[in-house]
Amino acid sequence: MHQKTLAELREGLIKREFSSVEVTQHFLERIARLDERFNCFISVTEDAALARAREADKTLAAGGAPALCGLPVAHKDIFCTRGVRTSCGSQMLDNFIPPYDAAVVENFNDAGVVVLGKTNMDEFAMGSSNETSWYGAVKNPWDVRCVPGGSSGGSAAAVAAGMAPGVTATDTGGSIRQPAALCGITGLKPTYGRVSRWGMIAFASSLDQGGPMARSAEDVALLLNAMASFDPRDSTSAERAVPDYTADLSTDLSGLRIGVPREYFDEGLNPATEQVVREALRELESQGAVLKDIDLPHAKLSVPAYYVIAPAEASANLSRFDGVRYGYRCDAPADLPDMFKRSRAEGFGDEVKRRILVGTYCLSAGYYDAYYNKAMQVRRLIKEDFVAAFADVDVVAGPTCPNPAFEFGAKGDNPVAMYLEDIYTIAANLAGLPAMSLPCGFVDNKPVGLQLIGQYFQEARMLNVAHRYQQATSWHRRMPPDID
Amino acid sequence: MTWETVIGLEVHTQLNTRTKIFSGASTDFGAQPNTQACAIDLAMPGTLPVLNEEALRKAVMFGLAIEAEINEISAFERKNYFYPDLPKGYQTTQLEKPVVVGGHVEITLADGSAKSIRIHHAHLEEDAGKSLHDDFHGMSGIDLNRAGTPLIEIVSEPDMRSAEEAVAFAKKLHAIVTSLDICDGIMAHGSMRFDVNVSVRRPGEPLGTRTETKNLNSFRFMERAIEKEVARQIDVLEDGGEIIQETRLYDGDTDTARAMRSKEEANDYRYFPCPDLLPVEIDQAYIEAVRATLPELPDPRCQRFVEQYQLSEYDAGVLSENAATARYFETVAAECNDAKLAANWVMGELAAKLNSEERDIETASVTARQLAGLIKRIKDNTVSNKMAREVFDAMWQGEGEPDGIIEARGLKQVSDSGAIEAMVDEVIANSEKQVENYRQADAKKRPKMLGYFVGQVMKASKGQANPQQVNEILLRKLDELL
């Protein structure tokens, strides 16, 4: 059952080959049995899931069920869920039970999903390895000595290990694509503004974007259909119709112009990874796509620009966690400053504190122009690079990450080495472009991801490319060995 | 050598929108703590702001009223600091691109001279909540009802040269924003709060070091705070000292001020553009649509009062100053058809009552219609001015309509000439000595001596005789005795 794609599960449910309760029980059983090894879940909502599944079965029997009726999913613990603890991977919110649902959670509920639980993540989505979670790191199902990537590591590993057929995630600087690549699954970061940020705990508001992860591009398209919406509660939400992302999945690729950025095949790219990615590009070429070398001259500046802008926004976004109204408050504060200082010093982990300090510094009087303003200028140049490139190509393709999954602790002492793992993913966030990662092979038995970057609001085009690739290959069908 | 005072004002003006600037929670004043704070106001994780268009419209109205420029693109920024009643840990405000830039406000001083005060800019921002320190032993309470109430902060140029000018400016702003109906103007609710920047210098010299006294919530406190600060700065300088740039607090109840923090201790607010709110684009069509809705402003209204009601410049100025007073006056004048009497009563009896009870005209215990009813009874000689004041007091105490009170209290003026003649005859009969003196007196002195007889008749009538008639009848009768 867990080897089926969401699309296959959906078909089985509609044909009543199995019930939503059976599917839900199957995944709950796997979570109960396997999650001790992988630590993908912060909360499992078993009773609520089964109640929803029973309801879904009635709806399915009655006919006219909504698109995702009865399908089990899990939400990254960054999305607020009414009545269910939403921790954001932090001690700060370990006791936080939101009285409201995130827009994404509402949309999924409307589509009829069954929520299995909340997935583990780097604390406040700050990390590329899932090692910063207060609830402990998630293990990569392909090799438990390795990281699953981050920050949506719990979501990615849950799909990879067959504990959920589809999940939600967020991507501020690669947090969907990098763990999707490292865990051998498919994940998509939509255009900034396509998915409402209402109820999604903010890390860097101008970069954060929610998106789906699943085994296949088709599954991702199904999930994105439910996830995307215009939301007047989010002022940055795009007021434009949501297309059917499954409609053009099978469109022929002949004549499709694929831009291959020279800068994404630089000396920082693992040669074995490069080989795998080049092979994937050749497959697309064999289907009629035309590969064109392109230049993104400012791409190399994306990491430094990102590590100014994201921490700057985070330094303000995380100020609300002050121990006054909700969340962690230190014991017996001596006075007000003591309460602020100790609640935040004790409630946040090291990486979060590092980024708050960096962001605060970048915005300080005397440094603002040199850091924040300069980074914003770089951001504009990066965006212009893409606009220029997209004059000649339809989709940009390259590696998602420079290396396959690395071992725990390998980059713990060197934040910059860790940050460089996001070198190919961050530019799409800075430009606000949609981008995705799909499995395209292995290096040392660890998955490698192919990244696609699309034009604004052209998610369907990327999904079309990914789906055609997956029709011709089976990398997305591989399951990690030795799990059951 | 004299000192010149230089004053600039920052005026926090609460906009009277129904809901908050970035959330749908109510802005009503005086509700139970934290009952008007939604998830957005509480800065719950994942919540997002959406600009209240009504707040923007009211800010634009203000800009147009003071002939300012409206920025085509205005943007919100985050001002970062930690305080328990600031839920997000930053205030969403404007810095680089405020809605309103420039403009000017005309003031008139007591000596009749006029002056133009330039406005630097006015920006939209959210109010903070309140910290309550009194009700909790060893702890503070936080009330977030006010958090997110829309404000425009109006920043003047340092164009004022005395406390009097500052007060005139503040009152004029009050008149403008209440006339525009963008602020309820209720000072007691904190609807307008003033920060005053004060420095002194020798005339012709560059600006001196300034101090900022924050959060003054009445015209009187502002005036006192400025006077005290000016005196303090002059003392310091004349003793050879230096003024330290600092933020000060003034306590109106004790009439004392103290330094709160110096420039060195000032926060670095780390402003940066708020990524949750897109820049606001205001096009010419929008501006013209708002301009078309602008109500009458205090200055044109004053002019109209002079022309339409033949009031003096001074009376017209007082009555047109704020929209509520103007509305009240015009209602009274229209109903009683006597603008002069209406003006006298609104500026006299009514203003005195409001002053002594520190109330606003909106909450006056006597309605404009009731006052007009009373003035009609003065005009038709039913009551004398003196009795009318008694009726007014009674109305103020809630005893009802003027006619009912006149009836119930037996205050009807006696205008029946037969009854007055009888009383006059009796007084003359009982005042042989005074009558004799009157007869003997020089014709020039007689009018003065008449007062005694008038008094006696009024006394006999228990004050209800029409004094005009008493005068006439007395004169006629006494003359008959000459």
Side-chain angles (χ1 to χ4, degrees), chain B residues 308-378:
Chain B
Q308 182 177 342
Y309 300 114
Q310 276 85 50
L311 299 179
S312 70
E313 287 275 352
Y314 178 79
D315 288 2
V318 173
L319 291 170
S320 63
E321 189 167 271
N322 75 62
T325 306
R327 210 160 33 237
Y328 193 106
F329 159 72
E330 292 208 85
T331 308
V332 177
E335 291 244 341
C336 74
N337 203 21
D338 191 325
K340 187 65 203 162
L341 270 180
N344 288 346
W345 275 85
V346 172
M347 293 169 64
E349 218 60 22
L350 179 73
K353 274 276 191 290
L354 292 173
N355 262 338
S356 72
E357 296 186 10
E358 292 186 357
R359 286 165 70 174
D360 296 296
I361 200 159
E362 287 98 328
T363 66
S365 303
V366 172
T367 66
R369 207 185 40 75
Q370 286 175 319
L371 179 55
L374 176 60
I375 293 173
K376 281 190 210 162
R377 295 289 89 83
I378 299 170

Side-chain angles (χ1 to χ4, degrees), chain A residues 245-306:
Chain A
Y245 293 107
T246 62
D248 300 319
L249 285 174
S250 302
T251 304
D252 195 278
L253 297 187
S254 10
L256 179 88
R257 299 166 304 168
I258 298 178
V260 182
R262 290 190 183 87
E263 292 79 4
Y264 280 30
F265 294 85
D266 59 358
E267 67 282 356
L269 179 62
N270 180 318
T273 299
E274 171 167 2
Q275 224 178 341
V276 167
V277 171
R278 295 266 187 213
E279 181 54 40
L281 293 175
R282 273 192 291 278
E283 166 58 35
L284 293 173
E285 206 173 17
S286 77
Q287 291 194 32
V290 181
L291 301 184
K292 297 181 88 164
D293 285 335
I294 58 164
D295 286 305
L296 297 172
H298 299 94
K300 61 181 180 300
L301 296 174
S302 62
V303 171
Y306 174 85

Side-chain angles (χ1 to χ4, degrees), chain A residues 90-149:
Chain A
S90 181
Q91 183 186 9
M92 186 59 87
L93 290 178
D94 183 51
N95 64 359
F96 176 62
I97 298 175
Y100 46 88
D101 279 327
V104 162
V105 173
E106 286 174 349
N107 288 349
F108 267 32
N109 286 344
D110 291 347
V113 300
V114 170
V115 179
L116 298 168
K118 307 291 293 289
T119 61
N120 201 350
M121 55 182 285
D122 277 298
E123 185 178 9
F124 285 103
M126 297 177 187
S128 308
S129 67
N130 230 288
E131 290 167 291
T132 74
S133 170
W134 189 66
Y135 299 90
V138 174
K139 309 286 196 318
N140 191 318
W142 293 89
D143 184 342
V144 291
R145 293 166 304 177
C146 289
V147 304

Side-chain angles (χ1 to χ4, degrees), chain A residues 80 96 99-100 197-201 205-206 232-236 313 316-317 319-321 325-326 336 340 344 360 363-365 368 372, chain B residues 39-40 42-51 78 80 82-84 86-90 142 144 268 270-273 275-278:
Chain A
C80 288
F96 176 62
Y100 46 88
R197 294 186 296 115
W198 171 262
M200 190 176 107
I201 298 175
S205 311
S206 74
R233 294 170 298 183
D234 173 1
S235 306
T236 62
E313 294 183 16
N317 281 332
S319 290
R320 65 189 60 199
F321 305 109
R325 298 167 311 287
Y326 51 77
L336 181 65
F340 282 154
R344 291 169 63 78
T360 302
L363 292 174
S364 298
Y368 183 91
Y372 183 80
Chain B
I40 296 169
L42 292 168
M44 298 287 262
T47 59
L48 294 167
V50 175
L51 177 63
R78 293 179 178 179
N80 296 284
F82 285 100
Y83 206 70
L86 186 72
K88 294 191 292 293
Y90 57 83
I142 305 296
L144 295 175
D268 177 356
R270 308 188 312 281
Y271 284 91
F272 76 103
D276 286 330
L277 292 160
L278 301 173

